[in-house]
Amino acid sequence: MVSAVIVAAGQGTRMGPGVDKLFLEVAGRPVVAHTWAQFDAAGCVDEIVLVVREGMRGAFEELARQHGFRKPHRFVLGGKERQDSVWNGLATLSLQTEIVVIQDGARPCADEALIAATIAAARRTGAAVAAQRVTDTIKESDGGTRITRNVDRARLWSVQTPQTFRVEVIRRALAAVRERGLHVTDDTAACEWIGQPVELVEGITPNPKVTTPADLPYIEWLMRGGGD
Amino acid sequence: MVSAVIVAAGQGTRMGPGVDKLFLEVAGRPVVAHTWAQFDAAGCVDEIVLVVREGMRGAFEELARQHGFRKPHRFVLGGKERQDSVWNGLATLSLQTEIVVIQDGARPCADEALIAATIAAARRTGAAVAAQRVTDTIKESDGGTRITRNVDRARLWSVQTPQTFRVEVIRRALAAVRERGLHVTDDTAACEWIGQPVELVEGITPNPKVTTPADLPYIEWLMRGGGD
């Protein structure tokens, strides 16, 4: 059985005060409704756990009604940091869950092909993450504004979500991080603490995240069929 | 005296065959007309050298007429690689030029504040480049699709143009690269060969490059005042 955990408990501080990026409209729907719709439609996912902020459950239930989401889903409260929210999501998985797909609520373009590819890679290796090759020219600084090194981008990847794991792998990895009181910004970083290798799964189509309002026009264009 | 070299000789192979990304329309003008307009309007730049492909000079002269560009400008043919095109541009600079601002023709949002900031930094240090901090989560692979390292992005910058230099600095740097038969994809990388430090100049506003058609909706939105 495959469960998805959609992390939708962040505050999105880069959007400015009072703006919840998950509920910004793009192509006629809130961002997080697109994300949910991808997982609702994906045949490779059996159930969905939504990690939400206190007081937000009603808004999400309204989304499910409006958009007719049919796949079994339930809610759990988010934690202090992203890793705490993921931890809470993992705690509610069905006993039969073998594979868990962790997804940022603010990343609405992850389609079924990408989700399925990370599931296949996680079954094979234990841990997999959607990623794209870095195409910008990258330099390393001295910590200030002086370039100290040209970085060879040939081996650099920008990682996204889905981040997909055998359940026991991500539970052990996050437990290791929590025991040490560490802070990780993505779940694959936790795997390092248990020596679990992570497989990069290159997406075919763009898979942007909404971080600032400037990200919306591009995402709207993608959703309207741009580039097809 | 400050001269700009606008590199507008590339083929833009990532756009597909027969498409010249410099002449794609965005916000009512070809991309390269926006780039040129920024330098035409910038009080900190005295003259403009456009590096163009064989047979394209007429199209650029037509742009100047249509958009009423008034700053002194002239044309020079591009070379085989980007670094050869820059070299050709440097060869045509006025004898009085102290500072040269090298700009990708396909980067239309570099405004006067950014151009001026790189000029000031280059006067002070010899070499400067517009840059933005990397905000994506970055991993290093083993050359294949296995993650080998979490990269600390705190010291990583994505570099853009303008890349701005004291003229004798960039002439020496590119000569050093050419003597060794090396290939560099940006001019600041050439500075390494003469031990010239390069200063990162953080842009305030986005400064995207047109690489694929997917970049256009965002740029259109920026030009229409998005985010103001």
Side-chain angles (χ1 to χ4, degrees):
Chain A
M1 177 168 177
V2 176
S3 304
V5 172
I6 298 179
V7 184
Q11 297 279 2
T13 49
R14 279 187 271 193
M15 301 296 287
V19 179
D20 186 340
K21 65 182 179 179
L22 294 171
F23 284 85
L24 289 173
E25 289 259 331
V26 59
R29 283 182 178 185
V31 168
V32 73
H34 288 285
T35 311
W36 190 348
Q38 300 274 16
F39 283 84
D40 192 69
C44 54
V45 171
D46 301 302
E47 64 167 15
I48 299 171
V49 176
L50 291 120
V51 188
V52 303
R53 286 208 308 280
E54 183 103 49
M56 290 301 289
R57 180 172 170 156
F60 280 88
E61 284 176 342
E62 182 57 28
L63 278 187
R65 265 193 303 277
Q66 276 177 11
H67 301 291
F69 298 142
R70 294 168 176 279
K71 187 164 293 178
H73 60 266
R74 57 185 177 280
F75 297 92
V76 59
L77 278 182
K80 190 159 170 283
E81 304 285 346
R82 185 181 186 289
Q83 72 194 51
D84 305 316
S85 290
V86 171
W87 185 257
N88 293 357
L90 294 177
T92 72
L93 295 183
S94 301
L95 285 173
Q96 301 95 314
T97 301
E98 297 154 300
I99 299 286
V100 59
V101 184
I102 300 169
Q103 175 71 11
D104 291 331
R107 206 179 278 277
C109 301
D111 61 15
E112 179 159 7
L114 182 62
I115 297 166
T118 65
I119 292 170
R123 281 197 197 281
R124 203 170 60 240
T125 67
V129 56
Q132 286 183 320
R133 292 171 196 278
V134 169
T135 55
D136 288 347
T137 299
I138 304 290
K139 310 281 180 177
E140 193 175 276
S141 79
D142 57 1
T145 57
R146 182 63 60 89
I147 294 175
T148 51
R149 197 165 70 89
N150 290 302
V151 180
D152 176 15
R153 69 183 171 203
R155 288 165 181 257
L156 293 188
W157 295 73
S158 167
V159 299
Q160 310 166 337
T161 62
Q163 305 204 348
T164 303
F165 307 91
R166 284 191 211 126
V167 172
E168 58 88 18
V169 165
I170 188 62
R171 281 206 173 114
R172 268 196 298 129
L174 282 181
V177 162
R178 291 168 68 91
E179 271 167 27
R180 289 167 176 79
L182 296 170
H183 174 80
V184 291
T185 52
D186 75 300
D187 307 305
T188 63
C191 289
E192 198 174 289
W193 294 94
I194 58 164
Q196 166 68 48
V198 180
E199 189 74 10
L200 296 155
V201 176
E202 189 169 11
I204 305 297
T205 54
N207 180 22
K209 185 174 178 179
V210 177
T211 306
T212 78
D215 301 318
L216 295 174
Y218 170 54
I219 291 172
E220 175 102 25
W221 178 82
L222 281 177
M223 289 179 175
R224 300 287 185 199
D228 286 355
Chain B
M1 179 170 175
V2 175
S3 304
V5 172
I6 299 180
V7 184
Q11 297 278 4
T13 50
R14 278 187 273 192
M15 301 296 286
V19 180
D20 187 340
K21 67 182 179 180
L22 294 171
F23 284 87
L24 289 174
E25 290 260 329
V26 58
R29 281 182 179 186
V31 168
V32 72
H34 288 284
T35 311
W36 190 349
Q38 300 275 16
F39 284 82
D40 192 69
C44 54
V45 171
D46 301 302
E47 64 166 16
I48 299 172
V49 175
L50 291 121
V51 188
V52 302
R53 286 208 308 281
E54 183 103 48
M56 290 300 289
R57 181 174 169 154
F60 280 89
E61 283 177 340
E62 181 57 29
L63 278 188
R65 264 192 303 276
Q66 276 177 10
H67 300 290
F69 298 142
R70 293 166 176 280
K71 187 165 291 178
H73 60 266
R74 55 184 179 281
F75 297 93
V76 60
L77 278 183
K80 188 159 170 284
E81 305 284 349
R82 185 182 186 287
Q83 72 194 52
D84 305 316
S85 291
V86 171
W87 184 258
N88 293 358
L90 293 177
T92 73
L93 296 182
S94 301
L95 286 173
Q96 301 94 314
T97 301
E98 297 154 297
I99 300 285
V100 59
V101 185
I102 300 168
Q103 174 70 12
D104 291 331
R107 207 178 277 279
C109 301
D111 61 15
E112 179 158 8
L114 182 62
I115 297 166
T118 65
I119 292 169
R123 280 197 197 283
R124 204 171 59 243
T125 67
V129 57
Q132 286 184 321
R133 293 170 195 278
V134 169
T135 54
D136 289 347
T137 299
I138 304 290
K139 309 282 180 177
E140 193 174 278
S141 80
D142 58 1
T145 57
R146 182 61 60 90
I147 294 175
T148 51
R149 196 164 71 90
N150 291 301
V151 179
D152 175 15
R153 70 184 169 202
R155 289 166 180 255
L156 294 188
W157 295 72
S158 167
V159 299
Q160 310 167 335
T161 62
Q163 306 204 343
T164 303
F165 307 91
R166 285 192 212 126
V167 171
E168 58 89 18
V169 165
I170 188 61
R171 282 206 171 114
R172 267 196 299 130
L174 283 182
V177 162
R178 291 167 68 88
E179 271 167 26
R180 290 167 175 80
L182 296 171
H183 174 82
V184 290
T185 52
D186 76 301
D187 307 306
T188 63
C191 289
E192 200 174 287
W193 294 95
I194 58 164
Q196 167 67 49
V198 179
E199 189 74 10
L200 296 155
V201 175
E202 189 169 11
I204 306 299
T205 54
N207 180 24
K209 185 175 177 178
V210 177
T211 305
T212 78
D215 300 318
L216 293 174
Y218 170 54
I219 292 172
E220 176 104 22
W221 178 82
L222 281 177
M223 288 180 175
R224 301 285 185 202
D228 286 355

